[in-house]
Amino acid sequence: MAEKNTSKAPEQESAFKNLVFPVIVLVVICLVCSALLAVLNNATAPVIEANQKAETLAAYISVLPEGTTADSLEELAVTSENVEGAVKSPDGMAVVKASAAGYSGNLLTVYVAFDTTGTISNLKVDASTQTTGIGSKTGEESFYGGFVGWSASEQVSLGSPVDAIGGATISSRAVVSALNSAIDCYNSEIAGVA
């Protein structure tokens, strides 16, 4: 009787070693890396959220009168489209944070302060996501300063009260869109609310 050969053929062993084993190793490495990234995300998420909240609070305070403190601000629950948040100061002023898609779809954010009569008393534009030297000019006071003194009783548009920046029409439109979202929020959710 002939004996059966139970050993693997060399080509089968070589195929496993060259093709299957590296795939298994890579899958294990990917799973370990994914698990480590998940742990890192869970550890850093609260820190990132706290930093973002602190930055937003600092931006709110930057458009309010000097002497306003973070502790004195009341956070308002707002639901207007494109509005990310709003606060009210003890003296009745309100600040609305709104955003709109600018160049390449990157968000441009405005912080608009309204006095007790509904007039824009100050604003800040974060145009850091826009093209440097072109769209980023919408974040300069020489552009957005023209909106100060505008009444929330009517919408703004390019040319009324501020012209678009040449070569940065998309970013200029984004500022106007975000500003109009803030005005809508002020009129529908903040004005007249105690």
Side-chain angles (χ1 to χ4, degrees):
M1 220 183 218
E3 281 185 37
K4 288 187 179 179
N5 187 359
T6 57
S7 65
K8 291 183 181 178
E11 58 271 351
Q12 285 178 333
E13 190 173 308
S14 178
F16 177 81
K17 193 181 276 186
N18 290 333
L19 297 175
V20 177
F21 186 70
V23 170
I24 292 171
V25 170
L26 285 175
V27 167
V28 170
I29 289 171
C30 289
L31 290 173
V32 169
C33 289
S34 296
L36 289 174
L37 286 173
V39 168
L40 182 63
N41 183 51
N42 285 339
T44 59
V47 174
I48 292 170
E49 185 178 338
N51 287 342
Q52 288 172 337
K53 190 171 185 172
E55 286 177 20
T56 298
L57 195 55
Y60 286 146
I61 291 171
S62 74
V63 295
L64 288 168
E66 195 171 315
T68 305
T69 63
D71 297 336
S72 66
L73 298 178
E74 173 191 354
E75 194 169 338
L76 303 173
V78 292
T79 58
S80 295
E81 188 175 352
N82 300 322
V83 173
E84 298 175 27
V87 294
K88 199 166 193 178
S89 67
D91 60 2
M93 292 187 71
V95 181
V96 178
K97 176 184 179 183
S99 61
Y103 188 71
S104 295
N106 296 322
L107 287 183
L108 185 143
T109 304
V110 298
Y111 298 85
V112 187
F114 297 93
D115 66 15
T116 55
T117 65
T119 301
I120 296 173
S121 61
N122 199 358
L123 72 139
K124 176 182 177 179
V125 176
D126 179 1
S128 60
T129 61
Q130 303 305 294
T131 305
T132 304
I134 303 171
S136 64
K137 288 182 180 181
T138 59
E140 297 174 4
E141 191 173 0
S142 59
F143 173 71
Y144 68 75
F147 296 109
V148 174
W150 189 263
S151 173
S153 62
E154 56 184 304
Q155 298 277 296
V156 297
S157 62
L158 287 178
S160 178
V162 175
D163 291 330
I165 294 175
T169 306
I170 295 172
S171 298
S172 300
R173 284 184 189 144
V175 170
V176 168
S177 177
L179 191 51
N180 283 331
S181 293
I183 289 170
D184 288 343
C185 177
Y186 178 79
N187 288 326
S188 65
E189 299 188 65
I190 299 172
V193 177

